[in-house]
Structures are given as structure tokens and as C-alpha cells.
């Protein structure tokens, strides 16, 4: 199969860089229905620009390209061992080309394999079928939304929704709860794949596989079609909005399947996917490996630009910050302000935060901007180039952030999805601010990075290292200020109250 390798690399590249038409359509509808001028609308504007930049420049839509998951169907007689080898080699090559972030980390040593390949990564499922062609479907689902997957065992009691029994009404409550608990941390607006029944492990798999359905299809099972429609309506009335900023669009898809269960078990498994819903597929000629057809794409329909305007609409009221930032500058900021960062910042995520709890920082963090980001970076000659650099989910750093602000004088933390009460307390006590960048907007933010000035702690792997960056016009929104205000806490409370109203309705 002389074309197999290039076909698989092309599938990975296209999946990582170009959203399928049904997702583009859903995101276009979301952009059109959001109220102009709101924070949600501003976020969607950046998202639209990012989608265009990714497809035009063939860069990853989001820096977190997830754990590549392949669903493969082969005719009887195709050598699946060879096909597995070819997929693994294609994944390694696509990583080398900067289309995938090295995301495969040894769970015992913390060492990144560097090429996304290990014994269990990428994930590949094979099935045989009667057709005379190979089908390879791929989904790239990042860690932020993966962490918001949730499984319920009915009967149970849910926040704001009360008791959920072993029936479709109980299932409805679980799905609504799953969407509510994700807030902005899974980069809303998102989509959910749901499995009713099965066992714990297979239920999660079937839930994830619902994400291989197009967002605009209709469930062939009437009661599930009805449930999907109800969830779409109700979830979009909750007011979570893009990035959890509060707004009209929280969900772009709900896909539900049911599978037989044990009499003793009744699981509802929910796979939450973000707006960067990357899923594509190809059919391959089994003798040559050449692509004969793309799945999810309409060859008659050209890819339309998403953005109505360029990036983030500025009003002139934005506040410019340049490190080193003073306490006075930070105290002047309040929730809702838009800031533009010029100059220097450091990245730091899970490994850096854990390291700083026991070791002094390798750089002076006084007055600094700390960006929760695990970028895609390539070394070209002696220089590092940032290929994708959106924010990661900040709540993972909640156990550390307050101490790091206190001990090292960080003045601004950038991330997405917000942080908790301990960090909010530290912002107030020590004079710092939390800035929400737009999750998934990896190309948009990468073009605002002028230069990699240095890198520390590279032994943690590329995404986890501490990158010293020089940026220009880096836009973010104050969502937690130094006066005890948190947009995230406010939206969670308001949407929780709306969830409770759905329980009574
Ligand atoms: S868009 Fe957000 S949730 Fe999705 S992969 Fe990117 S960072 Fe993760």
C-alpha cells in the first residue's frame, strides 16, 4: 500500500487543522445567535478567526490535540498488524511536523514519549466489515474537555436537580448536570456524546463514539431523538455561554445511544467535547492505501471563512499591561475589563506548578505574567517556533496557585475556565488578577507571540516546560479580580439556579 502513510498523515493533518462542515455550521449558528458586544460574543469572534487561521495555515486548531483515537474498519484479509504500525508511524510523523502536540506521558515516570507513540497510544480500535474498502475515522479530543467527561450510576442525587431515577427522566437530569458541571472548563460551547447503559468501561467508549455522528443528524430511535432535542433546548437556556462567560449558546450537539446493561447497573456515561470538535474520516483503497473518499465532508461545498471581522473587536477602553506589573495596576482592574498584554510572559502548567511548590523558580517571577499554556513548539535550526499556544484549563493548578502568587509575586495569571476560592483569596490578599484567554484559540494566540526568549525546565517535555515569551496585543478578559469578584463563581451560581428551575418545570 504505497500511499497508506501519506493518506494517514493527511487525515491527521486535516483533522487537527480544519473543522468538519457540520461543526462549522453549528459554530456559525452560535456566532449569529449570540448577543453582540457580550463577552461570549467576543470569545466567539476570536474562535471564528482562529478556525480560519488554522485551516488557512494548516496549524492545529487547538494546541491540545488530545489522545488521537482511531476507529478502523477493514475488509476481511487486511493485515491489521501492518495497519496499526502504519497509523503509529503516521502519528509520529504528524507530531514531528507540528500537527499534533507530543501528548503521550508515562504515568509512572512523567516522561513524555515526544512522538505521541507508546504501548497504548494512539488509541486504535479495529473492526472487520463486509465492504471492500478500509475506513479510518479519527477524533482528537483534548484534555480540558476530556476531564469534564462524567459517569453517573442511577439512582443518584444531583446538585440542583435532586433525585434521578432509572428512567429517561433520570437520564435527562444526568445529561443536563454533565453540561452544567463543565461550565467553561471544557471550552464551551461544547457537544456531548452519551451512552445509557452498558458497563462502566464500554459505556464511556460508546459515549465517545457518539461524537462520530454528525451534529445535524437525527437519532433513528424516536425517544432518543426527542431527548436530544430537549437537551439542546434546555442546555442552551442555562446561560453558560462561550467559555463559561454567560451567554445564549452553551451546547452545539447532543448525541445519545442506549446499550443493554446488567440488571444491577444503570450507568449514564457522558463524553464532553469542546467547540474545537475535531473529527474526520477517510475511505482507503485496500490495495494502494490511497484516499478514495473523505467522510464528513461535502466535496461540492467549499470551506467558508467563519470570521465576520478580524479577531477581538477593540473598543479603546482596554487596559495595557506590561511586565513587571505593579500592585497598583492590578488593583485598578475589575471583572469584565479587557486587557492587552505587551512584552514578556512565562508559561507554566501542571509540572511547573508542582515543581515551584518545592523549588525556587528558575527565573524572577516578581510582577510577572504566568500563562497556563502547553504550546506546540518546533525547533527550527537553533530557534524555537511556537506553532499553537492557547490557554489550558486553570483549575488543575488550584492546589498550587495561591502559594505561587504569594511566594514569587506573580501579578497576572492567564488561563481558561477560571480558578477556585483559594486562588481568589490569594488574588485579593497579594494583589493579583486572573485573566481568561479564549480556550482553543491556539493559532490566534500563537501569531501574537513574537519570539521565544528562552526555555527552562525543558526536561518536563515541550508542553510542560517553562517558555519565556515575548508577545504583542495579547487580549484577555479579567474574570477574577483582586477585590474578591469571580465571573466564574457568579455564572456557576446563576446557571445552577436555572438548572433548579428545570427540575421544578
Ligand atoms: S478547545 Fe479547550 S477543551 Fe478543547 S482541546 Fe482545546 S483547550 Fe482543550
Amino acid at each position: 500500500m504505497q500511499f497508506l502513510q501519506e493518506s494517514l498523515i493527511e487525515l491527521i493533518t486535516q483533522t487537527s487543522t480544519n473543522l468538519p462542515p457540520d461543526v462549522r455550521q453549528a459554530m456559525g449558528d452560535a456566532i449569529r445567535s449570540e448577543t453582540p458586544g457580550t463577552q461570549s460574543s467576543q470569545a466567539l469572534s476570536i474562535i471564528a478567526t482562529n478556525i480560519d487561521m488554522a485551516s488557512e495555515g494548516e496549524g492545529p486548531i487547538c494546541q491540545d490535540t488530545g489522545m488521537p483515537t482511531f476507529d478502523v474498519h477493514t475488509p476481511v484479509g487486511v493485515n491489521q498488524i501492518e495497519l496499526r504500525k502504519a497509523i503509529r508511524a503516521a502519528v509520529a510523523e504528524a507530531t514531528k511536523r507540528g500537527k499534533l502536540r507530543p501528548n503521550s506521558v508515562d504515568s509512572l515516570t512523567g516522561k513524555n514519549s515526544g512522538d505521541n507513540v507508546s504501548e497504548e497510544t494512539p488509541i486504535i480500535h479495529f473492526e472487520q466489515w463486509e465492504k471492500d474498502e478500509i475506513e479510518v475515522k479519527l477524533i482528537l479530543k483534548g484534555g480540558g474537555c476530556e476531564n469534564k467527561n462524567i459517569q453517573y450510576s442511577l439512582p443518584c442525587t444531583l446538585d440542583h436537580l435532586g433525585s434521578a431515577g432509572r428512567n429517561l427522566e433520570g437520564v435527562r437530569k444526568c445529561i443536563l448536570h454533565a453540561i452544567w458541571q463543565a461550565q467553561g472548563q471544557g471550552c464551551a460551547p461544547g457537544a456531548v456524546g452519551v451512552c445509557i447503559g452498558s458497563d462502566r468501561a464500554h459505556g464511556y467508549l460508546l459515549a465517545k463514539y457518539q461524537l462520530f455522528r454528525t451534529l445535524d443528524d437525527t437519532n433513528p430511535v424516536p425517544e432518543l431523538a426527542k431527548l436530544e432535542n430537549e437537551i439542546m433546548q434546555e442546555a442552551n437556556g442555562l446561560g453558560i455561554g462561550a467559555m463559561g462567560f454567560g451567554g445564549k449558546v452553551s451546547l452545539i450537539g447532543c448525541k445519545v445511544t442506549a446499550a443493554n446493561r446488567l440488571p444491577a447497573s444503570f450507568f449514564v456515561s457522558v463524553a464532553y467535547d469542546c467547540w474545537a470538535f475535531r473529527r474526520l474520516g477517510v475511505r482507503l483503497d485496500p490495495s494502494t492505501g490511497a484516499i478514495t473518499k473523505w467522510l464528513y465532508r461535502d466535496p461540492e461545498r467549499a470551506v467558508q471563512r467563519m470570521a465576520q471581522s478580524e479577531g477581538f473587536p477593540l473598543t479603546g477602553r482596554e487596559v495595557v499591561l506590561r511586565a513587571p506589573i505593579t500592585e497598583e495596576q492590578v488593583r485598578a482592574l475589575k471583572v469584565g475589563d479587557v486587557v492587552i498584554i505587551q512584552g514578556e510572559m512565562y508559561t507554566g502548567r501542571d509540572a511547573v506548578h508542582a515543581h515551584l511548590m518545592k523549588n525556587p523558580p528558575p527565573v524572577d517571577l516578581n510582577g510577572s505574567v504566568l500563562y497556563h499554556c502547553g504550546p506546540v513548539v518546533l525547533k527550527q535550526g537553533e530557534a524555537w517556533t511556537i506553532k499553537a499556544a492557547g490557554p489550558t484549563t486553570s483549575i488543575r493548578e488550584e492546589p498550587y496557585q495561591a502559594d505561587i502568587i504569594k511566594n514569587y509575586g506573580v501579578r497576572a495569571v492567564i488561563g481558561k475556565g477560571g480558578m477556585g476560592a483559594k486562588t481568589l483569596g490569594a488574588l485579593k490578599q497579594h494583589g493579583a488578577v486572573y485573566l481568561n484567554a479564549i480556550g482553543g484559540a491556539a493559532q490566534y494566540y500563537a501569531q501574537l507571540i513574537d519570539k521565544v526568549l528562552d526555555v527552562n525546565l525543558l526536561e518536563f517535555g515541550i508542553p510542560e516546560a517553562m517558555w519565556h515569551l515575548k508577545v504583542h496585543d495579547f487580549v484577555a478578559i479579567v474574570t477574577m479580580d483582586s477585590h474578591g469578584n469571580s465571573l466564574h463563581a457568579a455564572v456557576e451560581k446563576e446557571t445552577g439556579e436555572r438548572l433548579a428551575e428545570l427540575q421544578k418545570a
Side-chain angles (χ1 to χ4, degrees):
M1 289 202 271
Q2 74 265 37
F3 301 120
L4 179 62
Q5 200 62 23
E6 276 313 309
S7 297
L8 291 168
I9 292 169
E10 184 61 9
L11 170 65
I12 297 165
T13 302
Q14 287 298 312
T15 309
S16 175
T17 62
N18 199 345
L19 284 183
D22 59 307
V23 179
R24 285 171 167 269
Q25 179 71 45
M27 287 304 293
D29 292 345
I31 290 164
R32 283 183 286 279
S33 40
E34 197 47 88
T35 309
T38 57
Q39 285 149 353
S40 258
S41 162
Q42 289 167 326
L44 289 168
S45 213
I46 287 187
I47 287 171
T49 301
N50 185 71
I51 293 170
D52 290 340
M53 291 175 71
S55 59
E56 286 160 13
E58 273 203 355
I61 295 164
C62 176
Q63 75 288 339
D64 189 351
T65 51
M67 188 165 276
T69 302
F70 293 86
D71 179 39
V72 186
H73 284 78
T74 59
V76 176
V78 165
N79 186 333
Q80 294 183 350
I81 297 170
E82 289 303 317
L83 198 45
R84 183 183 294 276
K85 279 189 201 157
I87 290 173
R88 289 164 66 86
V91 163
E93 178 59 27
T95 308
K96 203 165 128 201
R97 294 185 191 181
K99 309 302 178 189
L100 295 176
R101 185 175 73 181
N103 259 358
S104 177
V105 176
D106 186 308
S107 293
L108 299 184
T109 64
K111 192 170 179 325
N112 193 316
S113 76
D115 60 1
N116 275 308
V117 176
S118 75
E119 202 166 321
E120 294 295 338
T121 56
I123 297 168
I124 310 170
H125 299 285
F126 282 104
E127 287 281 344
Q128 283 190 337
W129 66 359
E130 302 287 347
K131 296 179 188 172
D132 187 24
E133 53 190 347
I134 299 170
E135 181 181 272
V136 186
K137 292 199 255 183
L138 169 61
I139 192 161
L140 301 174
K141 181 174 179 299
C145 53
E146 188 67 15
N147 288 348
K148 299 319 290 185
N149 289 0
I150 189 164
Q151 193 170 58
Y152 303 88
S153 176
L154 295 179
C156 66
T157 303
L158 301 166
D159 296 339
H160 304 291
L161 287 163
S163 57
R166 290 184 161 194
N167 49 39
L168 276 187
E169 176 53 16
V171 171
R172 170 186 157 269
K173 287 184 181 180
C174 292
I175 302 172
L176 287 170
H177 182 270
I179 296 158
W180 173 76
Q181 59 91 42
Q183 290 288 313
Q185 291 170 14
C187 292
V192 286
V194 180
C195 175
I196 308 168
S198 193
D199 69 359
R200 282 198 187 272
H202 199 58
Y204 260 137
L205 183 73
L206 292 174
K208 189 167 187 180
Y209 271 35
Q210 282 298 291
L211 299 172
F212 280 119
R213 286 173 53 195
T214 56
L215 295 178
D216 52 5
D217 73 356
T218 302
N219 198 311
V221 182
E223 53 268 56
L224 296 183
K226 182 165 172 282
L227 178 65
E228 290 175 358
N229 287 335
E230 279 173 9
I231 295 288
M232 287 299 292
Q233 303 250 329
E234 291 181 319
N236 282 317
L238 287 178
I240 296 166
M243 290 298 123
F245 289 162
K248 290 184 179 166
V249 187
S250 306
L251 195 69
I252 55 170
C254 175
K255 302 290 153 190
V256 186
T257 189
N260 278 18
R261 60 182 174 83
L262 291 168
S265 310
F266 196 126
F267 299 114
V268 179
S269 310
V270 182
Y272 186 96
D273 208 346
C274 51
W275 68 260
F277 190 131
R278 290 151 290 174
R279 167 254 289 137
L280 275 178
V282 284
R283 294 271 170 88
L284 303 175
D285 182 319
S287 54
T288 66
I291 295 172
T292 55
K293 185 184 170 194
W294 281 91
L295 306 178
Y296 305 111
R297 281 184 170 174
D298 180 354
E300 305 295 315
R301 221 164 92 187
V303 172
Q304 303 275 337
R305 277 181 67 82
M306 295 281 301
Q308 323 260 309
S309 57
E310 274 315 302
F312 194 95
L314 299 178
T315 63
R317 293 192 298 276
E318 295 78 19
V319 181
V320 175
L321 291 180
R322 184 185 293 274
I325 300 167
T326 64
E327 179 169 357
E328 191 188 2
Q329 281 177 295
V330 162
R331 296 275 182 206
L333 294 169
K334 57 185 188 320
V335 163
D337 286 345
V338 175
V339 302
I340 296 179
I341 295 162
Q342 309 284 9
E344 298 180 26
M345 63 171 65
Y346 296 97
T347 67
R349 45 181 272 162
D350 308 52
V352 164
H353 281 73
H355 178 83
L356 294 184
M357 294 300 281
K358 294 190 185 140
N359 304 278
V363 294
D364 181 3
L365 288 176
N366 251 306
S368 67
V369 179
L370 183 59
Y371 184 22
H372 294 164
C373 171
V376 177
V377 193
L378 289 186
K379 194 161 198 185
Q380 294 170 323
E382 280 311 297
W384 291 100
T385 310
I386 302 281
K387 292 290 179 187
T392 193
T393 314
S394 298
I395 196 69
R396 297 195 311 273
E397 317 315 337
E398 182 66 10
Y400 320 115
Q401 200 67 74
D403 288 325
I404 288 168
I405 289 169
K406 175 177 154 215
N407 294 340
Y408 305 124
V410 171
R411 289 280 179 217
V413 174
I414 310 176
K416 57 114 170 159
M419 303 196 70
K422 197 171 159 207
T423 300
L424 189 62
L427 299 181
K428 189 171 179 182
Q429 192 179 351
H430 306 293
V433 70
Y434 178 82
L435 307 170
N436 207 117
I438 308 308
Q443 292 304 310
Y444 178 80
Y445 287 113
Q447 48 118 23
L448 305 179
I449 297 170
D450 300 323
K451 204 172 173 198
V452 175
L453 297 171
D454 201 1
V455 59
N456 292 96
L457 305 175
L458 193 53
E459 61 271 27
F460 295 151
I462 283 177
E464 295 281 353
M466 192 175 209
W467 295 93
H468 186 186
L469 308 175
K470 180 162 180 280
V471 305
H472 69 274
D473 299 335
F474 191 105
V475 180
I477 299 172
V478 177
T479 54
M480 294 168 69
D481 63 24
S482 62
H483 311 290
N485 303 306
S486 165
L487 176 71
H488 309 282
V491 171
E492 186 174 325
K493 183 165 176 291
E494 279 164 29
T495 54
E497 285 163 6
R498 289 201 193 109
L499 201 59
E501 283 165 21
L502 291 177
Q503 142 79 350
K504 287 178 212 136

